[in-house]
Amino acid sequence: MWLTGATVIDGTGADPVADRHLLVEDGRITAVGGTPPAGAEVLDLSGLVLTPGLIDAHVHLGLSSDIDKVSTTRELSVAELAADMFANCRQTLESGFTTVRDTGGVDQGIAGVVAAGKVPGPRVLHCGPILAQTGGHGYLGADWDSADDWHGRQIPGLLGTSLLSDGPDEVRRNAREAFRRGATFLKMCVTGGVVSRHDKLSDTQFTYEEIAAAVTEAEARGTYVTVHAHNNDGLRTAVKAGVKCVEHGSAVDEEMAAIMAEQGVALVPTMAVVHALTADSTSAGLPAHIAARVGNVIDGQTNAIRHARAAGVLIGSGSDLIGPHQTHRGRELVLRSAIENPMQALVTATRDNARVLRIDDEVGTIEPGKLADLTVFGADPLADPAVFDDPAQVKVVIQNGRVVKDIR
């Protein structure tokens, strides 16, 4: 396939190049520029803007339905849950996101059917169920539920929000269980969260020994632990225990950013979800009072990005959208454009996210040898970042060298 005529933004931060040509063979980019081989299928992208396929480093495909109906009242059938997840997968891909990292909610069942082409969707890397402590963030049962009942709400092959893990031995066992279900990394919640019923943002969760047990299991498989963290006390313990990525990081200051840089710990801010919850948490199927729990998380994450950037921390990008209305995944890039600039937002959601996910040898930039995961916009997102969040402006999506959306 010969892609011709587009303005190419290659994901490295280099200036856009007009009227660029790409050759795609066997699912990979084999040449940038040059002349088309005889018989090549020509895809004319004149007047359009071509970027690497977008990557969302923090999604919850398993939470694609009304949250209370999934976790508390249990009103939805397995068929409804699956239908909502499949629709979210398609919607995510057609919004230009060719790869996602699911940080709690699905297992290899969803990832497998998407990879097999049975359901349209992005490439899915996942952690399986989150490792959460009893009563901690990640446990969404009602106050009157028994924690023992939580494990019974999993639907193997489809949905498993979290595994309650208390003590190093239980953490170790559940880490192994997550890997058995196809996890490519582990996630733990080391502080309270915004979408929680039984904790505060200031709470710390898991001990050093518990976190270290998960890190040992991850390292034994050549991978890493990422942690949900909204305060630096819990985060500091996690970094000492050897985790390599932080989700949210809404309290990261200059001192913590320096520690993270020294230890090679990445940061994945999640701005879109807190803006959405502040506007209307009920649209995600959550109580109205959840919005009040956001507190200073928006300003905190904004400051964290600036501190982390100054310290040289690898910074990714995640939307963290939950519930049935995950149509604005691209809003994360719009918000990040306002904090830094549109080019940095794009690089973060392509090259740098690929580095966070440890797949930068395969995706994230436009260069020979990389998989042909490409997103084509109808207008220049660098001139108008709102384009990032407009699926109608995503004219073409190519995944593994195959056109999966074309509305030119």
Side-chain angles (χ1 to χ4, degrees), residues 68-217:
D68 270 349
K69 289 181 180 179
V70 174
S71 61
T72 305
T73 61
R74 303 169 71 179
E75 296 178 34
L76 301 180
S77 69
V78 174
E80 288 178 282
L81 294 170
D84 288 344
M85 292 181 204
F86 295 159
N88 195 1
C89 286
R90 176 190 288 274
Q91 176 180 277
T92 296
L93 181 63
E94 293 185 351
S95 295
F97 291 85
T98 54
T99 301
V100 299
R101 183 181 64 157
D102 193 288
T103 53
V106 304
D107 60 20
Q108 195 58 31
I110 289 289
V113 296
V114 172
K118 294 181 178 180
V119 174
R123 182 180 299 103
V124 180
L125 286 74
H126 67 89
C127 64
I130 298 166
L131 304 185
Q133 71 176 39
T134 296
H137 184 68
Y139 171 72
L140 296 173
D143 292 347
W144 54 86
D145 283 340
S146 167
D148 294 335
D149 182 52
W150 182 247
H151 291 283
R153 300 191 182 189
Q154 299 178 62
I155 306 170
L158 184 70
L159 175 65
T161 307
S162 61
L163 294 173
L164 301 186
S165 311
D166 299 302
D169 288 343
E170 199 165 22
V171 167
R172 186 175 296 108
R173 182 188 184 284
N174 286 337
R176 292 172 180 175
E177 173 65 10
F179 283 122
R180 185 188 71 79
R181 298 188 194 185
T184 57
F185 66 99
L186 297 176
K187 180 186 174 186
M188 302 183 80
C189 300
V190 300
T191 76
V194 173
V195 182
S196 290
R197 292 186 172 89
H198 312 285
D199 61 32
K200 304 183 296 296
L201 290 181
S202 57
D203 290 355
T204 62
Q205 299 175 4
F206 285 120
T207 64
Y208 172 91
E209 290 76 15
E210 289 171 319
I211 301 168
V215 169
T216 298
E217 291 302 317

Side-chain angles (χ1 to χ4, degrees), residues 27 44 197 233 277 316 362:
D44 186 358
R197 292 186 172 89
D233 290 334
L277 292 176
E362 291 285 283

